[in-house]
């Protein structure tokens, strides 16, 4: 069970806006550690989509945006496209002894 | 262009050992922090451990499930990262990815480049 909680799945029609939540606790997101988001297309390696809560690496469309508040973070995708169908993971850090790098459980985005 | 190629995966027996390699190119390997991340079939991502650059102290940290069983090392002269896996368990089955940190200028604590992964299957 991941310490960062994501919904297992979300869906939307082409052109719509969807959001994916990532909920943590006081020892990770609440401790002000940065949140990063990754996109994993079917059969491929993950790719960084958002870093430092809300920054996009070069080449990532501005349809993707990140935000955070307290112990939660969100990834928003606007103008949904068929090629956005993938699994999305949030990632942060934790201050507890046994954890260091945390990934959320992943959210499967289906474009209807 | 950053290129990471993992190798060494295959079938291992419970209690056995395997050694994975990650050949890196397209960036200054010496300066990079490197991590291993695994993914059980059909499951999510799990960080295994990270080795910092020698200039940053070379510290190695591991996730609790593999601490004491897995060892991360690097050979900067060969631009290669290693993962020595011992006392293998069936739960260690999955794809193993190597990933860079601090290469693309977007921060040390984000995984900015990933290899395609190598599959490890632990079964008797």
């Amino acid at each position: 069970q991941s310490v960062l909680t994501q919904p297992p799945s979300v869906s939307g029609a082409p052109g719509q806006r969807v959001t994916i939540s990532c909920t943590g606790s006081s020892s990770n997101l609440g401790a002000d550690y940065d949140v990063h988001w990754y996109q994993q297309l079917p059969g491929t390696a993950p790719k960084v989509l958002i870093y430092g809560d809300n920054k996009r690496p070069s080449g990532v469309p501005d349809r993707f945006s990140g935000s955070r508040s307290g112990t939660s973070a969100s990834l928003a995708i606007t103008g949904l496209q068929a090629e956005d169908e993938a699994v999305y993971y949030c990632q942060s850090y934790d201050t507890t002894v046994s954890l260091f790098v945390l990934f959320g459980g992943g959210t499967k985005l289906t474009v209807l | 262009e950053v290129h990471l190629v993992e190798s060494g995966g295959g079938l291992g027996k419970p209690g056995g050992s395997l050694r994975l390699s990650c050949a890196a190119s397209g960036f200054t390997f010496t300066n990079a922090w490197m991590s291993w991340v695994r993914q059980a079939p059909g499951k999510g991502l799990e960080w295994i451990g990270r080795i910092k650059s020698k200039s940053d102290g070379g510290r190695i940290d591991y996730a609790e499930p593999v601490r004491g069983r897995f060892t991360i090392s690097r050979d900067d002269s060969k631009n290669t990262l290693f993962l020595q896996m011992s006392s293998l368990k069936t739960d260690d089955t999955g794809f193993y990815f190597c990933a860079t940190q601090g290469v693309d200028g977007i921060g040390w604590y984000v995984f900015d480049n990933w290899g395609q992964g190598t599959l490890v299957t632990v079964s008797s």
Side-chain angles (χ1 to χ4, degrees):
Chain A
Q1 185 177 0
S2 301
V3 178
L4 297 180
T5 302
Q6 299 181 234
S9 64
V10 297
S11 63
Q16 285 190 332
R17 177 182 187 270
V18 297
T19 61
I20 298 173
S21 62
C22 175
T23 303
S25 67
S26 58
S27 64
N28 40 72
L29 301 190
D32 210 26
Y33 285 110
D34 282 349
V35 175
H36 316 296
W37 290 90
Y38 301 86
Q39 176 192 59
Q40 187 174 30
L41 297 168
T44 70
K47 163 193 155 184
V48 60
L49 204 60
I50 297 288
Y51 69 96
D53 298 344
N54 54 21
K55 303 174 188 63
R56 285 185 307 277
S58 62
V60 173
D62 59 6
R63 302 187 296 105
F64 296 90
S65 63
S67 63
R68 67 176 292 164
S69 177
T71 57
S72 294
S74 289
L75 172 71
I77 309 172
T78 58
L80 209 55
Q81 300 180 3
E83 66 218 46
D84 298 333
E85 188 159 294
V87 179
Y88 294 84
Y89 294 92
C90 60
Q91 179 248 311
S92 188
Y93 285 75
D94 200 275
T95 59
T96 57
V97 174
S98 63
L99 296 172
F100 193 74
V101 174
L102 294 179
F103 284 99
T107 299
K108 166 68 174 169
L109 168 63
T110 300
V111 181
L112 302 170
Chain B
E1 180 185 0
V2 172
H3 205 46
L4 300 170
V5 179
E6 301 91 340
S7 61
L11 180 62
K13 293 190 180 301
S17 299
L18 279 175
R19 189 192 198 208
L20 307 185
S21 300
C22 169
S25 60
F27 64 101
T28 306
F29 182 79
T30 303
N31 295 340
W33 298 4
M34 299 294 298
S35 274
W36 287 98
V37 177
R38 69 183 178 186
Q39 185 171 36
K43 302 296 184 182
L45 302 172
E46 179 185 26
W47 176 77
I48 294 174
R50 179 225 62 234
I51 182 167
K52 291 186 176 181
S53 61
K54 286 187 170 60
S55 61
D56 285 325
R59 177 179 169 132
I60 307 172
D61 289 291
Y62 299 94
E64 192 276 333
V66 306
R67 197 172 296 138
R69 300 189 300 121
F70 290 9
T71 301
I72 296 173
S73 61
R74 62 192 298 161
D75 184 340
D76 289 348
S77 69
K78 296 182 179 178
N79 289 354
T80 303
L81 174 73
F82 301 101
L83 178 66
Q84 178 67 48
M85 309 166 64
S86 310
S87 302
L88 286 169
K89 304 177 181 180
T90 54
D91 286 351
D92 295 324
T93 294
F95 282 94
Y96 284 70
F97 300 97
C98 62
T100 66
Q101 295 176 243
V103 167
D104 286 358
I106 59 174
W108 291 101
Y109 296 96
V110 57
F111 303 109
D112 45 13
N113 296 280
W114 298 65
Q116 285 306 300
T118 186
L119 178 61
V120 169
T121 303
V122 181
S123 174
S124 54

